[in-house]
Amino acid sequence: MQGYRVLVGVGGGIAAYKVCEVVSTLAKDGVQVRTVLTDAAQEFVTPLTFATLSRYPAYGDRDFWQPVHGRPLHIELGEWADIFLLAPLTANTLAKLAHGMADNLLTNTVLASTCPVLLAPAMNTDMWEQAAVQRNWQQVQQDSRYHTLAPGSGLLACDRVGAGRMAEPAEILPYVRSLLHTQGDRDLIGKHLLISAGGTREFLDPVRFIGNPSTGKMGIALAQAAHHRGAKVTLVYAPSTAIESVRAFGVRCIAVETAVEMRQAMLAHFSQADWTIMAAAVADVKPADYSPEKLSKSALPENLLLAPVPDIVAELASLKQPHQRLVGFAAQTGDIVTPAKEKLVRKQLDAIAANPIDQPNSGFGSDTNQAIFLDRHGRQHHIDQPCSKLTMAHQLLDFIHAMPKC
């Protein structure tokens, strides 16, 4: 994230306190962050707070006419930014954006910039549901510059329960990072991606199962990245604690536990998918016998008989149409390329991501990852140092997008 520049516009609402975490996290990641506050925003959080968290001055309307290096401030800031985040976006500022109005430093800077703008509204439920506000919300979404995180529902600061709650930092930060990678390009509009995530569980009885350490973070990162790039996404996930980070903004999420359940869900949606990415760690075997009641310790078999589970990716490959792309994952130790190439050919995949799970900060459960991507045309792409799983997800989508069509 070193060297990127994010401009944050803060509106007047209690949700401004959440933006402190966003600014602090980006700054810790090495991003240059500058903030612009409306007069109303300064009633909730002081400019000093944001200046301290970002290590850069925070600007308000009192600074509007103070030149920077001899140039107007709104011009300088607008040209400086790679990404512009507006959070919380108030009904007042939304109306100004929808109609191209500019009467303060924040809105003038929006018009003086050309970078992608991410909007995260926050307001009372009755305000959000007003017809005029909804018209303005729909209108800004017609402008390709604007990317949007619709508010969620919950208990608001006014004690109302309903829509209007600003997206959480855990939703805002991945979107900002995606925009820094894509510069706002929605190159997957019109495509439907089917993605699997997590590790399946194969039960011996109601409390014991054969499983693996997969947390689903890689598959969820792929779903986030694809959604941010405009794709329609269906995510089939085995148990994962991170699923709410994608469910909240419109990714269709289908929960499964076993390999049989994952097979059923993947087959049900495969024909509608343009790209299918099998990031899940699916079990290879299951207990041959299942007890519907918990087995006592003395009743546990000394030798556990095992039975194979469906080979989901091979079955999908047999059904694949010429316009579809099927991508697998191979979690390996030691030499990761040789077995990945063999799996690529044997399973008739279009591409595969080979993960070195024996390397630090990579593989199961980690927030970072590294990999080698290979495709059936002989191309390779190496990620030799651990990066965030969202960054790796974008690089994999880039790799698939660049694949030859034949």
Side-chain angles (χ1 to χ4, degrees):
M1 303 295 289
Q2 294 284 340
Y4 284 115
R5 301 184 297 270
V6 175
L7 182 60
V8 180
V10 186
I14 187 60
Y17 81 90
K18 295 183 182 179
V19 185
C20 295
E21 180 180 345
V22 173
V23 170
S24 177
T25 301
L26 290 173
K28 290 175 182 176
D29 286 347
V31 177
Q32 298 178 51
V33 186
R34 297 185 182 179
T35 51
V36 175
L37 285 73
T38 64
D39 285 343
Q42 296 177 48
E43 298 294 325
F44 295 92
V45 182
T46 67
L48 178 60
T49 299
F50 285 110
T52 303
L53 294 173
S54 68
R55 283 67 164 177
Y56 283 97
Y59 302 103
D61 284 349
R62 70 183 184 280
D63 306 303
F64 198 169
W65 303 110
Q66 301 301 316
V68 179
H69 307 303
R71 307 181 71 217
L73 179 59
H74 64 294
I75 304 297
E76 184 74 13
L77 289 174
E79 293 179 356
W80 173 86
D82 293 319
I83 299 296
F84 202 161
L85 166 67
L86 270 61
L89 175 68
T90 63
N92 186 43
T93 301
L94 171 61
K96 294 175 184 179
L97 298 182
H99 298 283
M101 297 174 63
D103 65 350
N104 58 12
L105 176 60
L106 176 59
T107 50
N108 272 273
T109 306
V110 171
L111 294 187
S113 64
T114 59
C115 65
V117 181
L118 178 60
L119 306 177
M123 63 193 76
N124 165 268
T125 302
D126 291 327
M127 295 173 67
W128 174 249
E129 292 177 350
Q130 288 290 331
V133 172
Q134 288 302 305
R135 280 198 304 271
N136 291 337
W137 182 240
Q138 295 302 318
Q139 185 166 327
V140 296
Q141 292 182 81
Q142 302 307 308
D143 188 330
S144 61
R145 279 192 69 200
Y146 293 118
H147 300 254
T148 57
L149 272 171
S153 296
L155 178 63
L156 307 182
C158 59
D159 291 329
R160 176 72 184 274
V161 177
R165 187 182 180 90
M166 192 181 83
E168 299 299 322
E171 300 166 62
I172 295 172
L173 286 163
Y175 212 141
V176 170
R177 292 173 178 131
S178 287
L179 291 174
L180 290 172
H181 180 90
T182 65
Q183 283 299 295
D185 185 9
R186 295 180 176 93
D187 58 348
L188 296 184
I189 282 181
K191 292 195 179 298
H192 179 189
L193 268 66
L194 176 61
I195 299 169
S196 69
T200 61
R201 298 175 175 180
E202 309 303 327
F203 285 85
L204 171 64
D205 65 15
V207 299
R208 300 180 180 93
F209 62 84
I210 298 174
N212 59 68
S214 176
T215 58
K217 290 180 180 179
M218 190 66 241
I220 288 171
L222 283 161
Q224 287 179 322
H227 175 77
H228 295 159
R229 294 166 75 147
K232 175 183 177 182
V233 181
T234 299
L235 179 66
V236 178
Y237 69 98
S240 171
T241 58
I243 194 63
E244 293 304 322
S245 62
V246 288
R247 192 199 305 276
F249 55 66
V251 169
R252 182 178 185 183
C253 298
I254 301 170
V256 299
E257 262 196 317
T258 67
V260 169
E261 292 172 351
M262 181 165 282
R263 172 186 176 272
Q264 293 171 342
M266 296 299 291
L267 287 174
H269 297 279
F270 181 67
S271 63
Q272 292 82 42
D274 297 292
W275 299 358
T276 296
I277 305 176
M278 284 292 298
V282 182
D284 297 305
V285 293
K286 65 178 181 179
D289 299 308
Y290 173 75
S291 170
E293 297 181 355
K294 179 185 175 182
L295 297 171
S296 66
K297 186 174 182 179
S298 61
L300 290 174
E302 292 186 7
N303 297 299
L304 183 61
L305 296 177
L306 301 176
V309 300
D311 189 333
I312 300 173
V313 72
E315 188 170 1
L316 296 178
S318 70
L319 300 172
K320 188 170 72 75
Q321 299 300 307
H323 72 281
Q324 294 179 302
R325 291 178 179 175
L326 179 60
V327 180
F329 268 70
Q332 301 289 346
T333 58
D335 173 17
I336 66 173
V337 174
T338 301
K341 284 182 176 178
E342 187 275 332
K343 184 175 180 179
L344 176 71
V345 174
R346 176 169 49 85
K347 304 271 182 144
Q348 301 180 59
L349 301 174
D350 294 298
I352 194 166
N355 284 128
I357 59 172
D358 56 350
Q359 297 300 312
N361 302 314
S362 300
F364 298 133
S366 174
D367 291 327
T368 57
N369 214 348
Q370 56 185 309
I372 299 175
F373 306 151
L374 308 96
D375 73 8
R376 59 189 176 89
H377 303 282
R379 293 187 311 135
Q380 291 191 17
H381 176 74
H382 292 244
I383 303 176
D384 296 323
Q385 296 296 324
C387 63
S388 74
K389 289 188 173 179
L390 183 66
T391 296
M392 182 170 143
H394 277 294
Q395 293 194 41
L396 180 57
L397 295 177
D398 291 341
F399 185 78
I400 301 169
H401 206 289
M403 286 178 59
K405 294 184 178 180
C406 58

